[in-house]
Amino acid sequence: MKTVLITGCSSGYGLETARYFLANGWKVVATMRRPRFDLLPASDHLRILPLDVTRPESIDRALATAGSIDVLVNNAGIGLFGAFEATPMSTVREIFETNTFGVMAMCQAVIPRFRERADGIIINVTSSATLAPFPLVAAYTASKTAIEGFTASLSHELKAVGVRVKLVEPGYGPSTRFTANGQRRMEGLITKPYESFAHEVFTGFGQISAVTTAVDVAQGVWDAANDTSDRLHYPAGADAVALVRNAEG
């Protein structure tokens, strides 16, 4: 029985991915900043651990408690929507601390374990914002695009030591708590010069028919975790798949 450790399991994609792997017979280490034990079904195959990916000591404690794992899923992330002009650099840094440096820190902590046994899979969850440009998410997109380049490069060097690295790229998921979770940091980021444009963007989002569900992402992560090939990219959700097909012509 294999074990997966998933970050950011308190809601959305991480929570659904934990449910999916548990239902399919894996041992699951579900981590979140503030653990909640009522979100997942009780199981001998489930452990819920505290983990803040921006704190090295938290990473060390979680991995020591988790023990041996076969797959790491870097799902934890925070959202940001607003005009870049109005976004304080402190907020940009906050986004990068979780979405970029937190992912890198988790990878760096797990790689020695996987390398020593010449086996293991790292799955980094990014966004369809890396597949096609979206307005008013410049800082967020930058944080996720950095992980795309990082993962592509890392996949080459870790292949040499028997470790596989994958990217799961979810599409637009209106059912997630992207806006709610980032409401505090988004306050005041739609300034008057951008109000009418932002209204058009929000209206456009509301008209999107092909969207991504949490189950789509869980399935994408599952496929990546069970694929023994060198495939790197796994778009998740009908809209993300369509973006890739359009890019390919």
Side-chain angles (χ1 to χ4, degrees):
M1 183 178 293
K2 291 186 176 182
T3 301
V4 59
L5 186 149
I6 307 164
T7 67
C9 289
S10 61
S11 64
Y13 300 151
L15 178 58
E16 189 62 39
T17 300
R19 288 173 177 155
Y20 198 97
F21 275 76
L22 198 59
N24 282 278
W26 281 48
K27 291 183 178 179
V28 174
V29 181
T31 72
M32 52 194 85
R33 287 187 180 184
R34 291 174 290 278
R36 286 184 54 185
F37 298 91
D38 59 329
L39 298 175
L40 291 156
S43 171
D44 292 338
H45 297 156
L46 171 68
R47 302 186 73 179
I48 298 175
L49 298 179
L51 172 60
D52 182 340
V53 299
T54 69
R55 298 183 178 277
E57 66 277 9
S58 180
I59 293 174
D60 291 342
R61 281 197 301 269
L63 291 179
T65 305
S68 179
I69 64 173
D70 300 284
V71 177
L72 166 66
V73 179
N74 282 312
N75 165 78
I78 54 179
L80 187 69
F81 188 94
F84 181 72
E85 176 189 346
T87 306
M89 285 306 298
S90 59
T91 301
V92 175
R93 292 187 179 95
E94 181 184 1
I95 294 296
F96 270 78
E97 281 295 336
T98 296
N99 294 359
T100 308
F101 302 132
V103 171
M104 291 179 172
M106 287 298 299
C107 290
Q108 199 165 60
V110 165
I111 286 169
R113 297 165 169 241
F114 287 174
R115 173 182 49 75
E116 286 170 5
R117 67 173 194 253
D119 191 30
I121 301 174
I122 296 171
I123 300 171
N124 294 332
V125 180
T126 58
S127 167
S128 62
T130 67
L131 303 175
F134 291 90
L136 301 176
V137 288
Y140 172 81
T141 300
S143 72
K144 292 293 190 176
T145 302
I147 291 302
E148 291 267 326
F150 164 73
T151 305
S153 178
L154 189 66
S155 68
H156 289 297
E157 63 188 79
L158 292 190
K159 181 181 177 181
V161 294
V163 180
R164 280 169 285 153
V165 187
K166 311 283 188 177
L167 278 165
V168 172
E169 297 146 326
Y172 170 56
S175 64
T176 68
R177 293 180 57 81
F178 181 94
T179 301
N181 287 342
Q183 197 161 12
R184 174 192 57 80
R185 72 181 69 88
M186 294 183 199
E187 290 179 1
L189 298 190
I190 302 297
T191 51
K192 190 170 183 59
Y194 297 95
E195 284 178 357
S196 61
F197 177 64
H199 178 72
E200 292 176 13
V201 172
F202 280 123
T203 300
F205 282 148
Q207 295 172 347
I208 296 174
S209 57
V211 297
T212 295
T213 68
V215 174
D216 291 331
V217 179
Q219 179 67 59
V221 174
W222 173 264
D223 292 344
N226 289 280
D227 188 352
T228 59
S229 76
D230 293 333
R231 179 182 173 186
L232 177 63
H233 296 274
Y234 297 78
D239 52 332
V241 171
L243 284 173
V244 171
R245 287 176 180 165
N246 290 339
E248 292 173 346

